[in-house]
Amino acid sequence: MAHFDDLETRDPAQRQEELYAALPGLIAHAQSQTDHYAKALAGIDPDSITSPQALAGLPVTRKSQLIELQKANPPFGGLVARDRRIERIFQSPGPIFEPQGQNPNFWRAARALYAAGFRPGDLVHNSFAYHMTPGAWILDDGCRALGCTVFPGGVGNTEAQVQAIAGYGANAYAGTPSFLRVLLEKAREMKLDLASLKKAMVSGEALPPSLRQRIAELGVTVHQCYATADLGLIAYESEALEGMIVDEGVIVEIVRPGTGEPVAEGEVGEVVVTTFTPEYPLIRFATGDLSAVLPGTSPCGRTNTRIKGWMGRADQTTKVKGMFVHPEQVAEVVRRHTEIAKARLVVDSDDNHDRMTLKVEAEGVGQVLADAVAQSVQAVIKLKGQVEIVAPGSLPNDGKVIDDVRTYE
């Protein structure tokens, strides 16, 4: 079986030794070159952090903190190293700003793409959004590092994208799985031949078995990766399709949500990541995502830890159509309409297509308010959603602002 490099097949003990030997240098760099870690890790001796147990004693920096940290110290909250140059700045919903450094394969996505069968010379149709957010750039960067040619399809314009794929003969796809299905089914409806398209790297939303099977029936083999705008690649699928293999450039811990305390192997907890990226040296960065470690190693020969992939959120932030949706955004919608007493965003799925419905308590109002609120939802969250006006007092008194009721079976 082909591997991206020899790092993937290291003895696990050797991998741990080498990662933790590099950890003191990362911590010293973060302490000296970033405002945030100068404070968060004040008094910590970097040379003492050479084991998983020592790392687990460091404080956690939470993704949910970034909005306030960045407001206080724009644009990156004091987490970007002063001695490194940033090439691009992105903005994800929240808003949260993310940097891209100068190094090729900055987000390390090439490793995941290689495991999915992407090779030099492939023609890749990239349907992640190139506008403001880094999603498309993460995969674009990894594809070009592999020697692939990239078509920047972006989102929307389904018929035009189908025509483009048929016209230039893309053999690979990057984007969300739901949009890949849309493209393949639209091609059949338009009677256009997309037989050249054989493989895909998907991310940004759940890939339930039913959707993977439907895409396979349409002629495309799908692999998925788990990446974030802040950390880059965290884990990825190989041809074995048995869990997701942790990237070689990070340390992943699974911790009890809200505590930072590592849980036992197999127990579901929050994904906490330390990444060896000198421009953005995130140490014990709590993603808010839930996952669990799978025992053993992958049959594909890669020896790093495997996780089960994305299993939901440890907080109320969720992903809809590949975009994060935060409770703060729901609050902003409510602030724009004084008629609303209370609101709850319900996220569900219809045949593997994500849907949002904002339920709002309001008295004596009708469609005019619903239409106005729907416009605010799109303006603030950057996604379309339905609005349902309900009677005052009818929403549950459980503190939930976002209720994600999707299942992943």
Side-chain angles (χ1 to χ4, degrees), residues 8-272:
E8 295 181 348
T9 55
R10 285 181 287 181
D11 180 271
Q14 178 190 356
R15 177 181 291 108
Q16 178 170 308
E17 179 181 347
E18 291 174 352
L19 285 172
Y20 282 90
L23 191 55
L26 175 73
I27 293 171
H29 169 69
Q31 287 174 320
S32 65
Q33 295 299 325
T34 74
D35 295 340
H36 174 74
Y37 287 111
K39 296 177 182 177
L41 302 180
I44 299 294
D45 177 10
D47 291 334
S48 69
I49 312 300
T50 56
S51 69
Q53 296 75 22
L55 178 61
L58 297 182
V60 166
T61 296
R62 301 193 174 280
K63 186 180 182 79
S64 56
Q65 294 176 251
L66 290 183
I67 295 173
E68 293 307 316
L69 286 172
Q70 291 183 357
K71 284 180 180 178
N73 188 2
F76 300 117
L79 279 84
V80 165
R82 289 183 290 272
D83 64 346
R84 303 295 171 125
R85 190 171 83 80
I86 298 305
E87 191 171 79
R88 291 190 179 99
I89 297 176
F90 299 97
Q91 179 184 288
S92 294
I96 295 174
F97 295 99
E98 299 100 2
Q100 179 186 359
Q102 293 179 279
N103 296 332
N105 197 31
F106 175 75
W107 290 284
R108 308 174 313 282
R111 184 179 303 281
L113 291 158
Y114 191 89
F118 286 53
R119 294 295 184 269
D122 282 346
L123 302 179
V124 182
H125 191 90
N126 189 357
S127 283
F128 279 114
Y130 279 86
H131 178 63
M132 297 183 74
T133 61
W137 298 91
I138 292 173
L139 274 297
D140 187 298
D141 183 45
C143 286
R144 290 186 296 109
L146 276 183
C148 303
T149 299
V150 181
F151 183 93
V155 297
N157 300 310
T158 304
E159 291 190 5
Q161 294 210 41
V162 168
Q163 290 167 340
I165 294 170
Y168 75 89
N171 70 324
Y173 167 91
T176 62
S178 62
F179 191 60
L180 173 57
R181 174 184 170 176
V182 168
L183 291 173
L184 294 170
E185 292 180 341
K186 177 59 72 172
R188 289 195 171 190
E189 179 186 316
M190 296 171 67
K191 295 182 170 42
L192 286 176
D193 183 5
L194 297 192
S196 63
L197 195 57
K198 296 297 186 184
K199 53 196 171 188
M201 170 56 71
V202 302
S203 193
E205 62 186 25
L207 177 61
S210 59
L211 181 54
R212 192 196 294 267
Q213 179 60 35
R214 175 56 181 156
I215 292 171
E217 291 169 355
L218 293 167
V220 180
T221 299
V222 175
H223 292 78
Q224 60 182 325
C225 68
Y226 170 33
T228 73
D230 322 276
L231 297 158
L233 181 67
I234 298 172
Y236 59 95
E237 287 184 331
S238 71
E239 61 269 28
L241 297 179
E242 292 188 10
M244 303 185 80
I245 301 161
V246 171
D247 177 50
E248 298 295 329
V250 300
I251 296 173
V252 168
E253 303 169 87
I254 306 295
V255 309
R256 201 170 311 283
T259 69
E261 173 190 343
V263 300
E265 184 179 279
E267 186 175 343
V268 176
E270 184 175 7
V271 178
V272 170

Side-chain angles (χ1 to χ4, degrees), residues 351-362:
D351 193 25
N352 295 312
H353 293 282
D354 291 344
R355 298 185 304 187
M356 296 192 314
T357 301
L358 184 66
K359 297 186 177 183
V360 300
E361 290 186 2

